[in-house]
Every structure is written in structure tokens, then in C-alpha cells.
Amino acid sequence: MIEFTDVVKCYEQGNKALNGVTMQIDDGEFCFLVGPSGSGKSTIIKLITGELRPTSGTVKVNGYALERIRKREVPLLRRTVGVVFQDFRLIPNMTVYDNVAFAMRVIGAREREIRDRVPYVLELVGLENKANRHPGEMSGGEQQRLAIARALVNNPSTIIADEPTGNLDPARSFEIMALLQEINNLGTTVLVVTHEKNLVELFAKRVIAIDDGYVVSDGRER
Ligand code: ADP
């Protein structure tokens, strides 16, 4: 569960990015986070992943209190939250398989677990036949699916996708959203940050809208 209570975030230069955000996303929900550029979306993501701390207010994520989390607990928190970054952050000289396996290796998974789990997530995202490719040999949509596979491989309870359809055509964008919905149907909480009004309308899920550091609406589209 993600719970923000009266969260204010000021950056060092005095920029106030969040002005008192209160919201709750329950386990198993699928939720869009929308808002214009500069409204505070990235700040919210960074507060959820423990990259930033709130100036005031409380942030609870999957049992961790982020306003007072210990440094050594941050990696444990991050295992519960898979992030799909806007720029994918794939490793170009590793194969598709190894890009995903690497995420398991860094947390010390055994090779046997890796051999079981990686093919499963590659199949889930439809890349089972591309395991030996390199990211540079794949389309934007395929790279996006690889980034999703990597975010999922350590079985997080929550997935955050930052503008997952930013560089994709409408058909590919629809496929990516459908994939995220399928992942949600398997029980993972999904938070999608997006600008794409059409997709948000099409999927008719909960939409949290922020503007200027405030939640300006929270409900279902249509
Ligand atoms: P969004 O992701 O919706 O575009 P951000 O969370 O990145 O919005 O930014 C919210 C506000 O905080 C903006 O006014 C932005 O200029 C400011 N901001 C973001 N990051 C920093 C930073 N590292 N230092 C100072 N101000 C920042």
C-alpha cells in the first residue's frame, strides 16, 4: 500500500514541488497519475522509491515509513517496488535474458532461481523468442516490454511505470497498457504516470490528477 499524508516537498533551492499531497493506493489497485509538466509527478515517484525524503508529512510504502527509513532498509523497500523508467535504462551490451537476470543477480538470487524465473517473465511480456537479442536490436515497444520484465523479475508487490508509452505509436501504446493491466490482474499494484489522455480514457481506471503540487482530482475517468 502507498499512503501519502499531507506531504510537502521543498527542494534545496526553495522550490516547493508538493504542497500537501494526501492519497492512498491500496494493494492490487491500478491507478494513473496525471498532471502537466512540473506538477510534481517525478517527485512523487522519488518519494515512493526512497530517493527523496518528504520535507514534512508521511509516506508509507509497503510497510516502510519513508520519512524515517534507515539507509540499509532502502534496498529492501526497493525490492517491493519495480520501476519502469522513462528511458528504460537497459544495459546495451547484455542480452535480453541477461538484462533481466542481472536484476536478480544483484540481489543475490541463485542461478537455479534465475533459470526458472527469467523465462517466465520473458514469456509474460511476450519476449520469450528474443532472449538472445541485444536491446539495440529491438523496437521501442520491445525495449519497453523488456524494461517491464526486468521491473517484475524480483516479484515486487508494486510496479511504477513512468510515461511507459512516451515514444510509442498508439497501437504499441495500447499493447503496453494492456500488458500492465494483465500484470495488475495477476495481483501487482500498478501506478502509471502518463500524459496520454486517450489511453487514460480507454482504460477507465482510477486517475489521480496533480497540478502545482496539489491533488486536484482523484477518481475514475468517465
Ligand atoms: P513533473 O514530474 O510533474 O514534471 P517534478 O516533480 O519533476 O514534476 O517537479 C515539480 C517541481 O519541482 C517543478 O517546479 C520543478 O522545477 C521542481 N524540481 C524538480 N526537481 C528539482 C530539483 N532537483 N531541484 C529543484 N527543483 C526541482
Side-chain angles (χ1 to χ4, degrees):
M1 191 180 73
I2 298 173
E3 190 180 5
F4 279 53
T5 307
D6 295 328
V7 175
V8 171
K9 177 64 195 175
C10 300
Y11 285 100
E12 272 154 27
Q13 298 87 331
N15 282 5
K16 218 170 179 189
L18 300 181
N19 284 302
V21 166
T22 296
M23 62 178 188
Q24 181 177 326
I25 301 170
D26 287 327
D27 290 342
E29 272 200 271
F30 186 119
C31 183
F32 289 111
L33 179 64
V34 303
S37 182
S39 57
K41 304 181 298 296
S42 311
T43 302
I44 288 175
I45 295 179
K46 288 174 182 162
L47 287 165
I48 293 172
T49 59
E51 202 176 318
L52 294 175
R53 291 193 183 221
T55 305
S56 65
T58 61
V59 178
K60 304 255 181 300
V61 177
N62 300 333
Y64 294 91
L66 279 283
E67 67 282 0
R68 55 186 155 84
I69 193 168
R70 287 164 197 270
K71 236 188 182 153
R72 61 182 163 80
E73 288 179 320
V74 172
L76 301 176
L77 157 78
R78 288 189 183 154
R79 278 185 215 178
T80 74
V81 183
V83 181
V84 184
F85 297 100
Q86 214 169 340
D87 55 2
F88 307 148
R89 302 194 191 171
L90 302 170
I91 304 169
N93 59 356
M94 279 189 191
T95 62
V96 164
Y97 182 96
D98 282 325
N99 264 277
V100 178
F102 184 68
M104 293 186 76
R105 294 194 175 113
V106 295
I107 67 160
R110 289 160 208 247
E111 275 309 307
R112 248 204 79 179
E113 286 174 79
I114 295 173
R115 280 200 303 273
D116 281 348
R117 179 76 182 162
V118 175
Y120 170 77
V121 290
L122 288 180
E123 189 173 349
L124 187 65
V125 303
L127 290 178
E128 64 275 19
N129 298 321
K130 308 265 160 100
N132 296 319
R133 295 267 183 102
H134 286 81
E137 301 166 328
M138 304 207 299
S139 70
E142 288 169 339
Q143 292 183 35
Q144 183 62 269
R145 282 189 274 148
L146 173 54
I148 292 171
R150 188 189 49 192
L152 275 176
V153 76
N154 290 322
N155 205 18
S157 58
T158 308
I159 286 272
I160 299 177
D162 189 4
E163 295 284 357
T165 60
N167 302 307
L168 303 180
D169 63 57
R172 295 298 150 277
S173 297
F174 185 85
E175 285 174 14
I176 292 293
M177 275 318 171
L179 172 61
L180 290 167
Q181 182 168 261
E182 192 187 327
I183 288 163
N184 174 246
N185 288 340
L186 294 172
T188 309
T189 309
V190 175
L191 178 64
V192 179
V193 177
T194 186
H195 275 102
E196 313 249 3
K197 278 213 152 47
N198 296 340
L199 279 175
V200 170
E201 281 166 19
L202 213 53
F203 281 83
K205 300 284 186 184
R206 178 179 171 195
V207 183
I208 299 175
I210 60 163
D211 199 355
D212 209 11
Y214 294 97
V215 174
V216 291
S217 72
D218 183 351
R220 255 165 220 284
E221 199 70 8
R222 279 178 292 172

